[in-house]
Amino acid sequence: MFLAQSFVFSLLAITGLALPSNEGVKHNNMARSTKYAPKEPPLTTPWTDKVGTKPWPEYPRPLLQRSDWKNLNGIWKYQNASDLNAVDSPPFGKDLAQEVLIPSCIESGLSGIQTDWGLYSWFSTSFDVSSEWKNDKVLLNFGAVDYEATVFVNGQKAGFHRGGYYRFALDVTEHVKFDQSNELLVFVHDPTDDGDYVIPIGKQTLRPSHIFYTPCSGIWQSVWLEAAPTNYITQLDLDANMDGQVNVTVHSSANGTSAQAKVTVHKDGKTVATHEGPTNKPFQFTVSSPKLWSPDSPNLYNVTVSLDKDEVESYIGFRTISRGVIDGVERPLLNGEFIFMFGTLDQGYWPDGLYTPPNHEAMVYDLKVLKDLGFNMVRKHIKVETDLFYRACDEIGLLVIQDMPSLRPLQSVLPDAKQQAEFARQLDVLVNQFKSYPSIAIWVIYNEGWGQITDTYPEFELTDRVRQLDPTRLVDSTTGWVDHGAGDFSDNHHYANPQCGTPFYSTASSPYDPSRIGFQGEFGGIGNNVSIEHLWNNQAAIDTINQTYEIDTTIEAWNYRSHLLLGELEDQIRLFACSGGVWTQTTDVEGEVNGLITYDRRVSRVDEKQWKADIQALYDAAAARSSNSTRDSL
């Protein structure tokens, strides 16, 4: 339960009384940080009180897993900083003002901070390194820090990273002291949409309203140390296709030289293949008669990769994503067969943790709700999740449409040349870091024109970049509108009813292009209001509920309308060229009440029997369009 102190701070915030500022306050070794206690957020979940002070104990990077590691999650110290120049005066050896839970967004209740504008922040902790690691490299890993992180170890700058959604590793061997306490200090700058900044932010905004939400600043994914030999594996690129071919690139720290890496593939405790190949270059080998991965049969194979003294664990799933012409219609193909992809728009927001789910169980809960209803896909909407999310999709059997986090959602605030180049660089990072997860089927570059330059058509060049980095997946270059013909999809957004591969369209979207795959990137969005105990208890958010595309006054009416809309989609599969759809959305979020389940994950709106039947009817209609027809794969 929340402590009385949390209630007092929440009451002060509600009544508008000023909280004491940390700006300009000097701290020294004699000062004591305010002890950690979670603040009471506007809404909780069933997992809020289960988080504790040692969150996310799971190994954070399942596709490159080492046995010798140390989790640094837990209670750190935090202090607000005045401006960007603060990084030039690090508070070495000083107690920061407050304790904070890592990982967490400092705007969240679980962080213990729950600030509104976390533009500049200091974070600190201490850690020990055993002398057993003395002959190894000591690697400091961050799952994600939003947005810029400057890292110091024992008073020395260890590195800098930009990009709020991506992991990074620093070799801190020369900075650490073995069998002694080491000081870790991190300066974070997160402008979100402040001033003239145009950076990838997705749905985050400093001024939340309806479909734009509370931002996430700080260290919001796991932090860990690991030991690795001098020549160690820095990244694994793994792809396994339906024909049993395994494509591998073992990137090493000795990037300018080549050594031999050994790859062993296991299934059910038995070795099915072993192959050696050069580091830092792609190589291939074949596994005979593999069990294929699909949403119906999410078969995975364990992989061990050895390089000199380094050994890591990983996994693969044999599947092929492609497109082809079936009975004269462009279709997405999984393992050579037309698959109708149907899933939800998944924002990945939590009322207690914002970007950070309270724990692994909570994160998987959302995915299992979708899987149990019959969805075979989830669209991760302009957010990137922890690696463990994608592993869960691999294991459960959910295809993933992965969006690139968008720039500002206003055409009047477009990126300049430098900002556009940074967007492109981070798109590269997204693809490179996550392209080995079998469940990811489609990359999305732009959502509804947000931050999309419209006079020079940059989506064509970006589509080519993505295809060069990852030729094994499809690219949805512009989901929604501002479509000039790039990519594999002719993607329509329309609320509430669908217009999927049809001879009719709204003026916001483009007409269906039969040279590409007809897709309903978003539809539905119908809402049903709930009582205050299940709402984000923020008056500004509550005031925007009526901006929902449609409000149904009862659950029965909501399910009736859902049935009609899914029936329309079924008609468009049977009659026209609809190849997939995305229902808005998995959960309510802040001022939105159009989820299958409420924001607190305590109430489901769906009539399960009806929804399961309606979703199965979509697959049956698609199957009827693909039987006994010719295929021409591309």
Side-chain angles (χ1 to χ4, degrees):
M1 298 299 292
F2 295 105
L3 301 179
Q5 183 187 41
S6 303
F7 174 77
V8 171
F9 277 92
S10 299
L11 184 60
L12 286 170
I14 292 169
T15 57
L17 296 177
L19 295 173
S21 170
N22 294 318
E23 289 190 28
V25 178
K26 294 183 178 180
H27 300 272
N28 53 47
N29 289 323
M30 299 302 293
R32 289 189 175 184
S33 304
T34 302
K35 290 295 182 182
Y36 169 76
K39 297 291 179 66
E40 185 169 6
L43 187 67
T44 64
T45 71
W47 302 275
T48 304
D49 291 334
K50 298 179 181 179
V51 172
T53 58
K54 297 184 181 297
W56 288 92
E58 298 84 4
Y59 187 88
R61 193 186 54 210
L63 282 179
L64 201 165
Q65 184 162 341
R66 289 192 172 87
S67 58
D68 212 355
W69 73 290
K70 183 175 184 178
N71 195 323
L72 297 187
N73 294 344
I75 303 301
W76 288 36
K77 305 290 178 62
Y78 159 83
Q79 187 169 301
N80 179 48
S82 57
D83 55 36
L84 196 56
N85 294 325
V87 71
D88 297 326
S89 303
F92 297 132
K94 298 179 180 179
D95 244 358
L96 303 186
Q98 297 170 263
E99 291 187 340
V100 62
L101 188 68
I102 298 296
S104 65
C105 310
I106 58 174
E107 293 86 351
S108 72
L110 285 175
S111 71
I113 308 299
Q114 206 168 22
T115 186
D116 287 330
W117 286 47
L119 301 183
Y120 311 99
S121 306
W122 285 107
F123 298 88
S124 71
T125 191
S126 61
F127 62 88
D128 297 329
V129 180
S130 169
S131 57
E132 294 178 359
W133 288 12
K134 215 162 195 176
N135 296 321
D136 292 322
K137 294 288 186 180
V138 180
L139 306 179
L140 174 62
N141 297 274
F142 292 81
V145 180
D146 198 355
Y147 169 70
E148 293 177 334
T150 307
V151 181
F152 302 87
V153 176
N154 291 330
Q156 301 296 314
K157 183 178 177 180
F160 171 83
H161 181 265
R162 175 180 291 123
Y165 298 93
Y166 312 111
R167 62 180 179 269
F168 61 99
L170 302 173
D171 181 351
V172 296
T173 311
E174 65 182 54
H175 303 302
V176 299
K177 298 176 290 186
F178 296 94
D179 292 329
Q180 299 181 51
S181 180
N182 295 271
E183 181 188 48
L184 172 58
L185 189 65
V186 183
F187 179 77
V188 178
H189 173 217
D190 183 22
T192 310
D193 54 355
D194 182 43
D196 296 329
Y197 284 96
V198 180
I199 63 174
I201 55 174
K203 287 290 191 81
Q204 301 180 77
T205 178
L206 293 170
R207 301 163 184 85
S209 179
H210 196 49
I211 67 169
F212 302 106
Y213 316 136
T214 304
C216 171
S217 303
I219 305 168
W220 67 277
Q221 289 189 24
S222 291
V223 186
W224 74 103
L225 290 167
E226 57 190 351
T230 302
N231 187 16
Y232 62 92
I233 299 167
T234 58
Q235 179 178 319
L236 279 178
D237 296 340
L238 298 172
D239 172 69
N241 67 30
M242 60 182 285
D243 299 317
Q245 180 174 295
V246 182
N247 302 289
V248 184
T249 304
V250 180
H251 301 267
S252 75
S253 56
N255 191 36
T257 62
S258 182
Q260 287 295 108
K262 181 180 178 181
V263 181
T264 306
V265 181
H266 316 269
K267 181 67 173 174
D268 301 325
K270 298 179 181 179
T271 299
V272 298
T274 300
H275 190 85
E276 290 191 5
T279 57
N280 304 307
K281 296 179 181 179
F283 61 88
Q284 298 81 33
F285 62 93
T286 301
V287 172
S288 61
S289 303
K291 295 180 180 179
L292 301 186
W293 186 96
S294 73
D296 292 333
S297 300
N299 293 298
L300 297 173
Y301 287 68
N302 293 322
V303 174
T304 303
V305 182
S306 302
L307 170 63
D308 296 336
K309 297 180 180 180
D310 198 14
E311 183 174 280
V312 299
E313 299 297 325
S314 189
Y315 66 88
I316 53 177
F318 289 90
R319 90 287 175 268
T320 297
I321 306 292
S322 60
R323 58 182 278 196
V325 177
I326 297 181
D327 199 19
V329 180
E330 289 285 343
R331 300 294 195 186
L333 307 179
L334 174 62
N335 301 328
E337 302 289 335
F338 169 34
I339 180 168
F340 186 86
M341 299 185 190
F342 190 58
T344 58
L345 198 70
D346 194 77
Q347 311 283 2
Y349 257 81
W350 298 81
D352 44 15
L354 300 177
Y355 259 21
T356 308
N359 58 27
H360 188 272
E361 177 189 355
M363 180 190 72
V364 173
Y365 171 82
D366 279 7
L367 299 175
K368 288 184 174 178
V369 165
L370 301 180
K371 185 70 175 181
D372 289 346
L373 285 172
F375 292 99
N376 64 7
M377 174 268 287
V378 62
R379 179 183 167 198
K380 179 46 58 181
H381 190 38
I382 48 181
K383 181 197 176 189
V384 183
E385 293 286 356
T386 169
D387 288 69
L388 296 173
F389 174 91
Y390 302 97
R391 183 182 71 176
C393 292
D394 292 340
E395 293 173 340
I396 292 170
L398 280 172
L399 291 162
V400 177
I401 297 176
Q402 178 60 55
D403 291 11
M404 172 64 189
S406 62
L407 303 171
R408 285 196 181 188
L410 298 175
Q411 285 295 326
S412 59
V413 186
L414 292 173
D416 59 24
K418 185 177 180 180
Q419 292 162 342
Q420 180 67 15
E422 179 62 19
F423 176 81
R425 184 194 72 83
Q426 291 192 32
L427 176 62
D428 290 354
V429 175
L430 170 68
V431 174
N432 277 324
Q433 285 200 0
F434 293 94
K435 64 184 179 182
S436 294
Y437 286 101
S439 55
I440 297 179
I442 300 168
W443 301 110
V444 174
I445 298 176
Y446 286 114
N447 174 75
E448 297 184 350
W450 296 0
Q452 180 183 349
I453 300 170
T454 57
D455 55 354
T456 57
Y457 301 177
E459 65 269 23
F460 282 93
E461 178 186 353
L462 295 175
T463 299
D464 290 341
R465 289 175 71 137
V466 171
R467 285 174 171 163
Q468 184 175 9
L469 292 171
D470 180 15
T472 70
R473 291 181 176 85
L474 302 178
V475 183
D476 192 348
S477 304
T478 54
T479 180
W481 43 81
V482 195
D483 181 6
H484 303 114
D488 296 301
F489 292 87
S490 178
D491 187 336
N492 177 293
H493 289 190
H494 192 256
Y495 290 101
N497 58 317
Q499 298 175 338
C500 183
T502 63
F504 45 87
Y505 65 99
S506 64
T507 55
S509 286
S510 302
Y512 165 60
D513 173 6
S515 70
R516 294 177 294 156
I517 298 166
F519 203 77
Q520 190 66 50
E522 293 179 27
F523 80 113
I526 58 175
N528 167 252
N529 208 346
V530 291
S531 53
I532 188 64
E533 63 266 27
H534 301 296
L535 286 174
W536 179 251
N537 194 0
N538 175 286
Q539 192 58 49
I542 292 172
D543 289 343
T544 66
I545 285 175
N546 281 336
Q547 295 179 25
T548 304
Y549 301 106
E550 172 184 308
I551 294 287
D552 302 313
T553 58
T554 66
I555 288 290
E556 291 76 17
W558 185 89
N559 278 288
Y560 166 74
R561 290 287 294 141
S562 301
H563 175 66
L564 291 183
L565 296 174
L566 293 173
E568 283 194 49
L569 189 67
E570 181 190 346
D571 284 344
Q572 292 168 18
I573 299 167
R574 289 189 296 103
L575 298 173
F576 306 119
C578 183
S579 292
V582 178
W583 178 272
T584 301
Q585 58 187 343
T586 307
T587 74
D588 297 349
V589 185
E590 299 194 3
E592 294 186 282
V593 292
N594 53 5
L596 301 176
I597 52 180
T598 53
Y599 196 22
D600 61 0
R601 275 72 170 177
R602 288 187 168 99
V603 177
S604 172
R605 293 186 173 92
V606 299
D607 178 327
E608 290 190 15
K609 183 178 179 180
Q610 171 196 302
W611 272 80
K612 288 179 179 179
D614 287 343
I615 292 173
Q616 185 59 49
L618 303 179
Y619 301 143
D620 292 343
R625 291 293 305 273
S626 61
S627 60
N628 300 318
S629 55
T630 59
R631 290 170 172 77
D632 182 16
S633 295
L634 300 178

